[in-house]
Amino acid sequence: MNAVGKKLSGDRPHESGVTESLLLEEVLAEQGKLQTAVATFAEWHEDEPLMAGHYRQLIPMVRPKPGEQYAFEVKLDECTGCKACVAACHSLNGLDDDESWRDVGTLMTRRAPAYMQTVTTACHHCEDPACANGCPVLAYEKDPETGIVRHLDDQCIGCSYCMLKCPYEVPKFNLRLGIVRKCDMCSSRLGNGEAPACVQACPNGAIGIQIVLRGQESRVVEERLLPGVVESGYTRPTTRYVSSKTIPDSAEAADEGNLRVEAAHWPLVVMLVLTQAALGVFIAVAVSGQSWLAWFANGFLQVGLAASVLHLGRPLRAWRAFLGWRKSWLSREILVFGGFAGAGSATLVGWSAWWAVGVGLIGVGCSIMVYVDTKRPDWSMGKTTIRFGGTVVSFMALAMAWVDGRWIWIAVIAQGVKLGWECMELVWDRRGYHSRMHWEALPVWTWARMLGAIGVMGLTWYSPGLAVTGLVAIELLERALYFKTVKVWRMPGS
Amino acid sequence: MMSIPALREWDGPMTRELLLEPGRFGLGQVPGTLKPMSVAKAICGFCATGCGLKVHLDANGQAVNVTPDAEYPVNLGMACPKGWEALTPLWSDDRGTTPLINGVAVGWGEALDLFCERFREVQGKYGARSTAFLSTGQIMVEEMAFLGSLAKFGMGMIHGDGNTRQCMATAATAYKQCFGFDAPPFTYADFEESDVLVFVGGNPAIAHPIMWQRVERNRNRPEIIVIDPRMTETAMAATLHVPVAPKMDIVLFYCLAHEMLKRGVVDRDFVQKSTSGFEAFCAFLEDFEPSKHLSNMGLTNEVFERCADLIVKGKRVSMWWTMGVNQGHQATRTAQAIINLCLMTGNIGRPGTGPNSITGQCNAMGSRLFSNTTGLLGGHDFTNEKDRMKVAEVLGINQERIPQENSWAYDQIIQGIHDGEIKGLWMIATNPGHSWINQKSFTDAVKKLEFFVVQDMYSNTETAQLAHLYLPAAAWGEKEGTFINAERRFGVSRKVSKAPGQALADFSIFRLIADAWGCGEMFGQWTSAESVFRLLTQVSRGQPCDISGIDGFDMIEASGGIQWPCVGTSSKTELKRAERRLFEDGLFYTPSQRANFIFEEPVGLPEKPDEHYPLLLLTGRGSSAQWHTETRTKKSAVLRKLHASKLLVDMNSEDLVGLGLGEGDRVRVVSRRGKVEAWVRETSTIQRGQVFLPMHDPDVNKVTLGVFDPESRQPGYKACAVKIEKVS
């Protein structure tokens, strides 16, 4: 083999050196040339698109009347898994790399009866869109005429709260732009009598647009679009999945039970823990009257609020965050935390700490509601309040212990109760998703949290002041796990 | 002066980024940022469906986007995800841009010198027979013809084969033996015209979605029978799923033939006029009383009867087979068992009928007729003197340059390397370092080569990394030429994108090599793809695949592709009939003009599950977004998200319980030859005792068993014995 790479001598096995170099130049030059445009005037169709004949029956001929709206209809019998709709959405909308607003998943049974069904899914253009309801800056608009849920890309601050709110994983974050983008049912195409990209591209005509009545009962009761997805009452999705086959009761998403680690959302983790720590310390200030503690409380609060800004893809647009206060708990949280910062600072110039405590309590209440409002079972009112409230109480007790040794017992107990609750959740349903996420997907994180908490309880005995740092660390771990292990509502994946 | 910002921004740069504009050219609205200045046509370079694409070009003639061609008769404006993403693999930043000698970049001059010097050295030491080439179903017809002619007529090689051996050899052999020529008789319109469609060992819903589209367009409310051990997407859409035991399909077809005889539904008239060997076939069928074979086939009597009923009741029955048939240890006879069934029931030569092989690669059919590997150019025969004379005359070469013997098949060439008979190998646009059955037998062989050249669009494929010399090729879309699709349709693909660096069209590389080797004169006329195409039309004259009536690329493009045959006398109206089928006159290409019944005693599995390796491994396509060894499809982020991100092994819940395994467990699939790691997916779609792995993972072929159909020499990828071990 060593002879292979050796430099050649001048000897050539042939005598075409000159021709060859000319030919080489010729073919290289030829390769670099693109053919001239081949479209002719005969192909210049100014009028109707060539695909119109195909999709004419798949879209309505008229606009929705009052009380109606556009909706996707998917014929499952015709959805056979080619996934052209996903690629077409990407190409016909000029989206980034892997960006597409349509996905295809699979429903199947694990055991007899044998069943498998691919499911194409995009935005369901809900009657009561959770994304819009959660948006702090009103970057969503449900079109009054068409019912299309449109996203205002230039309004979006990239907080990604809509991604937590939507139970169908519709809004997708675009890292390049720092905002989310989503399906608008190709409203520009529909407006011109053309079909949306996915409708045009489905070889079997499985996807269509229909005009449906708003406020239909089927979308308010406890129905689900498909097995395993969220109850439709949450957002009242308008998409209809129709099939001639009965979906077996045992059908589930092909990826059901697959452990999926979600984003930690570190800025939110820091913000939540530190604002709650701040509230706890303000309570200690108010109760103990030790005003030097207020410096710590304000420190926590300022760092926490500053961190939250890092969560935004477009922070310069964030001044509009008050706009959504009527419906969005996030908007309310932002407003109240603004007040909290003010009331907190005021303690340094002599205001009573109870002001900060009062506003802070409302703020933490809003924080709780931000997550409860996503309807994720792991983030229920009980589970979230225990965690967020537990953090407040733990810091409050620890701060008290710092100024008054008699509180050490209470501080240890407060931390112990919170840890005990978390452990109980893990023991309760040991084969459940929540436990498996902790022990199988994130065992190191889980052990660090548990052992760390015990360590901090020990440290509290020796030095409550030092334990504060420890408590911040292990509470950050707890909160990161809160985000990373959550089971999200979504459409079937594969 | 700054204006006061609005409370709600309805417009702005980010909003405008996604604005759509009329694309003109009949395209409807397109992204404003990618608005075409002109459009060009191309035929998709992935599979043999042969979809027409419209490539959107900017002012410089550079492709910026692609949409399916609404006017092309094959795909009617549709494409699968691979077609939609056809351009993306061209633009990946790991394309080969210069020749490489042992991984070091060199200029073309040095590369060509080394190519000639080393091959001449090997030939000098061991004779011209010691050098061989292995090519592909992915390059253009004209390039295939150039390669085969250059290697054999110019460089004196005897042995050369294509990766079409891995997918289509069985169909080609079966047709040749039965019909006298490798002639798939159908046109895609048959999908729409049948009242009963039978799919055997294929999953067109995801493997050929655009053919499946034609099935969905069938207005006859057809019965769809799917014969497959797995309950695939296609089986799910069928009216009857026949979950036959792996590799027992041949028995099933003989039993069905027996049943047809018993029920007296044979088309006596057709059989008498147009076939031979039927009596011997009837005698052979005596042993195939269905009830005796039901348990072997793993079928209930009810399912078998219903399958037979549907075929009997059908007025236009078409049978379509794919790799489940072609890749088996007795594949040719299995395909012929399907052909026999069609012949005896007269389901051939009429709309909506036929024993129809669905081909794999975009130019598998071009390879079968024009690659000059197994057969002499244009479906001719190396061993036939008249054929050699004819081809030599058309090409204007000395007849002595044409080998008088047939080439070894792919597996024989690899065995030849092991045996020391092949010492130099030239490989073009294929990746057996991933795809060859019992992969290690290939990678071991390569180590024994004295000179190994790989010509490919990427220098980092499993195979290219093993090469002494790598030649960077321009890809589909960066060159011009024709493909032949599964229904015998020639289609033209145009040059729409610039190749990176020094990459050259395979066609140009062959020109350079011909010149460097010193046989440039022999290929003096071979200056462009179209000039070669015109030569081939002359070569084809008088053959069943006669295309002498095609006058260049523009005619093909203007006609929406042209199916062979197309002789000079084909009238314009004849051509206008965009979809034509063969054998409408009941005359076949055999000397007697009759189709042959060919059959043989079924042979059991070559590697039966036993106590050590108790499960049977099936392999196949994973999703519509993955193409074979994924050298191209993995370059597209959109395609990547359309399949599982890790290798899943489908298993039946009863087997899992027995093994103490469950959904999501990490396991090793182990055979006598190797092992591959995968994650368990518990599913009802796979039967007990069987497991399924998609073929796209580079480790899967470490496990497969190197068996070959004795007639077609096609590898039997589909069934081998394995065990499952838990990875702790």
Side-chain angles (χ1 to χ4, degrees):
Chain A
M1 232 61 92
N2 47 2
V4 167
K6 75 174 184 197
K7 195 77 186 142
L8 289 166
S9 64
D11 284 345
R12 304 279 305 258
H14 51 83
E15 289 159 25
S16 57
V18 179
T19 1
E20 186 207 297
S21 66
L22 284 178
L23 184 61
L24 180 57
E25 273 173 36
E26 180 193 323
V27 296
L28 280 171
E30 191 181 73
Q31 189 68 54
K33 256 191 296 184
L34 286 171
Q35 286 159 336
T36 46
V38 284
T40 61
F41 282 110
E43 289 175 287
W44 188 287
H45 304 265
E46 281 292 3
D47 35 308
E48 200 176 50
L50 292 167
M51 288 305 290
H54 164 76
Y55 57 65
R56 201 171 287 129
Q57 293 90 27
L58 297 171
I59 56 173
M61 301 295 286
V62 293
R63 305 283 288 180
K65 293 195 285 288
E68 294 178 336
Q69 76 159 84
Y70 285 137
F72 282 117
E73 183 185 77
V74 176
K75 300 189 196 89
L76 288 177
D77 291 355
E78 321 297 328
C79 179
T80 49
C82 79
K83 307 180 183 178
C85 50
V86 181
C89 175
H90 166 80
S91 291
L92 287 180
N93 288 313
L95 305 185
D96 286 359
D97 294 337
D98 70 340
E99 198 179 19
S100 175
W101 295 327
R102 198 163 258 292
D103 290 296
V104 174
T106 307
L107 276 177
M108 60 184 233
T109 52
R110 305 288 176 191
R111 295 153 196 231
Y115 175 83
M116 174 173 46
Q117 175 66 59
T118 51
V119 179
T120 175
T121 177
C123 178
H124 301 307
H125 299 283
C126 302
E127 285 196 59
D128 189 16
C131 52
N133 294 341
C135 182
V137 295
L138 301 183
Y140 284 90
E141 175 73 13
K142 185 162 176 72
D143 188 274
E145 186 201 0
T146 62
I148 290 171
V149 178
R150 190 189 152 193
H151 182 254
L152 312 183
D153 291 355
D154 284 285
Q155 179 80 355
C156 177
I157 58 173
C159 72
S160 11
Y161 185 47
C162 52
M163 297 170 68
L164 304 185
K165 281 279 287 170
C166 174
Y168 307 107
E169 291 199 317
V170 167
K172 305 243 180 7
F173 199 80
N174 183 308
L175 213 54
R176 176 176 63 86
L177 297 170
I179 61 167
V180 302
R181 304 208 281 192
K182 73 173 276 292
C183 162
D184 70 342
M185 213 185 245
C186 291
S187 54
S188 155
R189 290 195 169 91
L190 272 176
N192 276 284
E194 293 180 26
C198 53
V199 176
Q200 290 194 30
C202 177
N204 304 336
I207 311 171
I209 304 294
Q210 302 255 311
I211 290 177
V212 298
L213 286 173
R214 301 194 193 207
Q216 274 185 329
E217 198 60 17
S218 65
R219 292 195 289 271
V220 267
V221 294
E222 294 174 351
E223 288 205 355
R224 298 168 197 270
L225 284 181
L226 291 167
V229 310
V230 73
E231 287 175 1
S232 295
Y234 174 28
T235 64
R236 309 218 308 276
T238 61
T239 304
R240 281 197 309 175
Y241 287 95
V242 294
S243 172
S244 69
K245 304 184 187 92
T246 329
I247 303 178
D249 291 339
S250 57
E252 59 183 26
D255 59 347
E256 180 65 40
N258 289 10
L259 300 178
R260 201 178 79 167
V261 179
E262 300 297 323
H265 295 292
W266 279 108
L268 298 184
V269 167
V270 173
M271 186 271 281
L272 289 171
V273 169
L274 294 189
T275 51
Q276 287 153 23
L279 175 58
V281 179
F282 276 124
I283 297 173
V285 174
V287 172
S288 70
Q290 300 281 336
S291 56
W292 60 273
L293 272 179
W295 288 95
F296 280 90
N298 275 299
F300 284 146
L301 187 54
Q302 295 303 330
V303 174
L305 294 179
S308 70
V309 178
L310 298 177
H311 193 246
L312 305 179
R314 288 277 154 183
L316 292 181
R317 299 176 182 171
W319 61 271
R320 295 191 181 92
F322 63 92
L323 288 175
W325 69 276
R326 282 171 191 276
K327 285 183 175 173
S328 166
W329 281 104
L330 180 58
S331 179
R332 294 167 192 167
E333 185 198 39
I334 294 168
L335 284 174
V336 177
F337 274 159
F340 189 19
S345 308
T347 57
L348 301 178
V349 294
W351 282 41
S352 161
W354 287 109
W355 286 107
V357 171
V359 183
L361 272 173
I362 300 171
V364 170
C366 290
S367 289
I368 292 170
M369 286 312 297
V370 163
Y371 299 93
V372 173
D373 202 34
T374 62
K375 301 283 194 279
R376 294 175 174 179
D378 288 341
W379 289 355
S380 67
M381 178 69 95
K383 291 174 181 174
T384 305
T385 308
I386 288 273
R387 278 186 173 70
F388 292 14
T391 304
V392 174
V393 173
S394 296
F395 275 96
M396 184 270 286
L398 190 56
M400 288 302 294
W402 199 359
V403 297
D404 181 351
R406 288 173 301 174
W407 277 76
I408 287 182
W409 264 107
I410 299 172
V412 173
I413 290 170
Q415 293 169 39
V417 167
K418 183 161 187 276
L419 180 64
W421 171 268
E422 286 167 39
C423 289
M424 210 164 63
E425 276 184 354
L426 295 182
V427 177
W428 222 310
D429 181 11
R430 257 189 297 181
R431 286 303 296 165
Y433 186 87
H434 183 73
S435 294
R436 288 180 58 219
M437 275 304 292
H438 280 82
W439 298 121
E440 291 175 31
L442 297 162
V444 175
W445 288 75
T446 306
W447 280 114
R449 158 70 188 152
M450 299 298 171
L451 298 177
I454 293 167
V456 172
M457 282 156 69
L459 192 59
T460 306
W461 282 104
Y462 293 101
S463 164
L466 274 182
V468 172
T469 330
L471 190 60
V472 169
I474 57 143
E475 288 299 280
L476 290 175
L477 280 178
E478 176 265 302
R479 205 52 45 90
L481 280 166
Y482 175 81
F483 282 101
K484 285 166 92 77
T485 62
V486 65
K487 186 169 192 192
V488 306
W489 288 114
R490 55 199 163 105
M491 294 296 283
S494 47
Chain B
M1 208 174 78
M2 283 244 315
S3 60
I4 300 166
L7 280 182
R8 292 182 85 190
E9 291 286 6
W10 292 83
D11 194 12
M14 291 190 188
T15 307
R16 282 194 288 273
E17 214 181 87
L18 291 176
L19 282 188
L20 303 177
E21 284 181 40
R24 303 168 306 178
F25 309 105
L27 298 172
Q29 295 198 353
V30 298
T33 47
L34 299 171
K35 190 172 169 170
M37 297 308 289
S38 61
V39 293
K41 289 185 180 181
I43 303 300
C44 180
F46 283 103
C47 91
T49 307
C51 295
L53 301 177
K54 272 198 177 157
V55 187
H56 307 193
L57 308 176
D58 68 12
N60 301 317
Q62 166 67 42
V64 291
N65 206 350
V66 69
T67 47
D69 186 347
E71 295 163 304
Y72 202 64
V74 165
N75 52 312
L76 312 165
M78 297 298 163
C80 80
K82 299 184 292 291
W84 280 98
E85 281 293 286
L87 293 169
T88 312
L90 308 185
W91 301 331
S92 88
D93 51 18
D94 61 348
R95 287 285 303 276
T97 53
T98 64
L100 305 172
I101 295 177
N102 291 331
V104 179
V106 296
W108 272 106
E110 200 175 327
L112 292 167
D113 285 343
L114 185 76
F115 183 96
C116 295
E117 191 205 20
R118 295 289 290 149
F119 270 124
R120 279 199 191 279
E121 196 180 302
V122 170
Q123 290 189 344
K125 269 203 283 187
Y126 308 102
R129 312 177 65 87
S130 67
T131 53
F133 69 99
L134 285 170
S135 80
T136 181
Q138 299 288 149
I139 60 177
M140 270 82 187
V141 169
E142 300 75 20
E143 295 178 321
M144 286 177 176
F146 204 155
L147 171 63
S149 303
L150 168 62
K152 290 195 171 183
F153 310 154
M155 298 171 66
M157 293 185 189
I158 303 294
H159 301 305
D161 201 7
N163 63 9
T164 43
R165 183 70 62 181
Q166 291 162 278
C167 55
M168 294 324 307
T170 292
T173 309
Y175 281 138
K176 222 176 208 167
Q177 292 178 353
C178 289
F179 299 160
F181 198 78
D182 174 13
F186 63 98
T187 172
Y188 295 154
D190 290 321
F191 284 120
E192 297 181 34
E193 305 205 23
S194 296
D195 57 2
V196 177
L197 296 115
V198 185
F199 290 93
V200 192
N203 188 9
I206 66 158
H208 295 93
I210 302 308
M211 294 197 200
W212 186 250
Q213 167 197 353
R214 304 296 292 267
V215 178
E216 293 270 347
R217 286 168 57 94
N218 189 312
R219 294 283 163 259
N220 308 318
R221 301 175 59 83
E223 298 286 352
I224 299 172
I225 303 171
V226 171
I227 298 172
D228 198 310
R230 288 193 305 140
M231 204 207 55
T232 59
E233 286 83 351
T234 312
M236 197 61 212
T239 47
L240 177 67
H241 175 208
V242 181
V244 68
K247 295 300 152 203
M248 292 303 287
D249 40 3
I250 185 167
V251 177
L252 172 62
F253 296 121
Y254 289 150
C255 288
L256 283 169
H258 180 106
E259 189 72 13
M260 298 296 126
L261 276 182
K262 199 165 78 186
R263 297 195 190 185
V265 291
V266 173
D267 185 341
R268 296 278 169 192
D269 198 35
F270 176 82
V271 166
Q272 203 183 2
K273 268 196 221 150
S274 297
T275 70
S276 62
F278 184 61
E279 261 139 58
F281 184 51
C282 292
F284 169 79
L285 288 178
E286 272 173 29
D287 288 342
F288 291 91
E289 168 61 44
S291 60
K292 285 198 292 188
H293 297 278
L294 285 173
S295 72
N296 271 342
M297 294 189 286
L299 299 177
T300 62
N301 187 49
E302 193 190 342
V303 168
F304 178 85
E305 287 283 326
R306 179 146 160 72
C307 180
D309 288 347
L310 292 179
I311 294 173
V312 169
K313 244 176 31 196
K315 303 231 174 334
R316 296 170 162 199
V317 182
S318 56
M319 302 199 174
W320 309 82
W321 80 84
T322 323
M323 295 309 141
V325 169
N326 284 345
Q327 296 175 334
H329 62 286
Q330 211 180 359
T332 303
R333 294 294 176 255
T334 309
Q336 286 165 337
I338 298 171
I339 295 175
N340 294 342
L341 207 49
C342 289
L343 290 175
M344 72 192 292
T345 54
N347 276 304
I348 190 164
R350 292 182 294 116
T353 66
N356 305 328
S357 144
I358 299 178
T359 310
Q361 303 179 72
C362 56
N363 205 13
M365 293 282 287
S367 163
R368 282 152 71 167
L369 292 179
F370 291 103
S371 67
N372 209 33
T373 51
T374 313
L376 179 58
L377 287 179
H380 289 94
D381 184 353
F382 282 108
T383 64
N384 181 323
E385 196 188 351
K386 268 209 291 201
D387 281 1
R388 292 198 302 274
M389 268 171 60
K390 176 184 164 191
V391 171
E393 196 185 335
V394 174
L395 300 185
I397 63 172
N398 184 345
Q399 197 197 314
E400 300 297 306
R401 302 295 306 178
I402 302 182
Q404 300 179 18
E405 59 181 297
N406 285 322
S407 162
W408 280 346
Y410 207 126
D411 69 300
Q412 294 162 326
I413 291 176
I414 289 173
Q415 191 54 47
I417 303 173
H418 279 293
D419 297 343
E421 294 188 53
I422 302 285
K423 295 286 192 182
L425 185 67
W426 179 15
M427 187 158 276
I428 300 93
T430 186
N431 187 17
H434 176 313
S435 67
W436 190 247
I437 196 162
N438 185 14
Q439 196 186 82
K440 194 166 179 295
S441 67
F442 173 80
T443 43
D444 283 350
V446 165
K447 291 180 196 143
K448 299 183 179 170
L449 287 170
E450 293 193 9
F451 190 46
F452 181 38
V453 182
V454 172
Q455 180 172 324
D456 200 286
M457 64 186 285
Y458 303 106
S459 60
N460 56 3
T461 67
E462 284 80 359
T463 310
Q465 289 181 27
L466 303 171
H468 301 134
L469 173 64
Y470 162 78
L471 302 176
W476 169 93
E478 295 163 355
K479 58 188 181 182
E480 188 175 60
T482 62
F483 292 140
I484 312 178
N485 79 353
E487 49 158 6
R488 313 182 314 281
R489 183 181 304 276
F490 278 84
V492 178
S493 215
R494 303 287 184 176
K495 185 171 164 188
V496 291
S497 188
K498 277 202 175 149
Q502 303 256 302
L504 286 172
D506 296 284
F507 191 89
S508 299
I509 299 176
F510 301 142
R511 281 185 79 192
L512 288 173
I513 288 172
D515 192 63
W517 190 268
C519 57
E521 224 169 283
M522 185 185 284
F523 299 100
Q525 297 180 69
W526 302 50
T527 53
S528 69
E530 191 156 14
S531 64
V532 172
F533 178 79
R534 287 182 194 278
L535 274 177
L536 296 178
T537 62
Q538 296 314 307
V539 169
S540 75
R541 197 181 283 276
Q543 288 288 89
C545 62
D546 191 334
I547 47 165
S548 56
I550 305 182
D551 182 26
F553 287 177
D554 287 348
M555 174 172 167
I556 298 178
E557 196 171 86
S559 314
I562 298 176
Q563 285 178 290
W564 67 254
C566 172
V567 292
T569 51
S570 295
S571 67
K572 281 249 165 75
T573 28
E574 178 72 1
L575 273 181
K576 278 268 158 57
R577 253 182 78 202
E579 309 205 87
R580 293 175 293 151
R581 61 188 62 81
L582 300 177
F583 312 130
E584 288 179 319
D585 53 5
L587 299 177
F588 293 84
Y589 302 127
T590 53
S592 63
Q593 296 197 316
R594 289 162 173 271
N596 297 315
F597 281 95
I598 301 174
F599 46 87
E600 198 175 306
E601 203 58 46
V603 180
L605 281 174
E607 190 183 44
K608 290 192 182 69
D610 56 21
E611 51 179 328
H612 303 295
Y613 296 90
L615 299 165
L616 199 60
L617 169 68
L618 317 180
T619 64
R621 192 171 300 279
S623 74
S624 63
Q626 291 163 289
W627 182 245
H628 297 175
T629 69
E630 293 193 284
T631 49
R632 280 183 289 166
T633 48
K634 73 180 170 197
K635 304 291 167 19
S636 156
V638 170
L639 295 182
R640 279 201 303 275
K641 74 177 212 171
L642 295 181
H643 58 81
S645 52
K646 52 190 182 186
L647 182 63
L648 302 178
V649 55
D650 282 357
M651 292 187 68
N652 182 283
S653 58
E654 290 178 53
D655 291 326
L656 287 173
V657 169
L659 289 163
L661 292 169
E663 165 75 22
D665 282 345
R666 193 161 155 212
V667 295
R668 261 188 299 271
V669 182
V670 186
S671 76
R672 291 184 173 83
R673 295 153 295 282
K675 53 182 186 270
V676 53
E677 272 193 22
W679 278 259
V680 169
R681 183 165 75 165
E682 179 182 4
T683 170
S684 62
T685 59
I686 188 109
Q687 298 185 53
R688 190 176 181 179
Q690 301 167 18
V691 302
F692 174 83
L693 281 176
M695 64 181 176
H696 314 286
D697 187 278
D699 286 340
V700 168
N701 279 314
K702 290 184 173 152
V703 177
T704 48
L705 169 70
V707 291
F708 303 89
D709 173 61
E711 300 290 324
S712 70
R713 307 296 319 162
Q714 180 162 348
Y717 284 95
K718 296 292 182 187
C720 73
V722 295
K723 61 182 172 188
I724 304 288
E725 293 173 350
K726 179 155 187 167
V727 178
S728 42

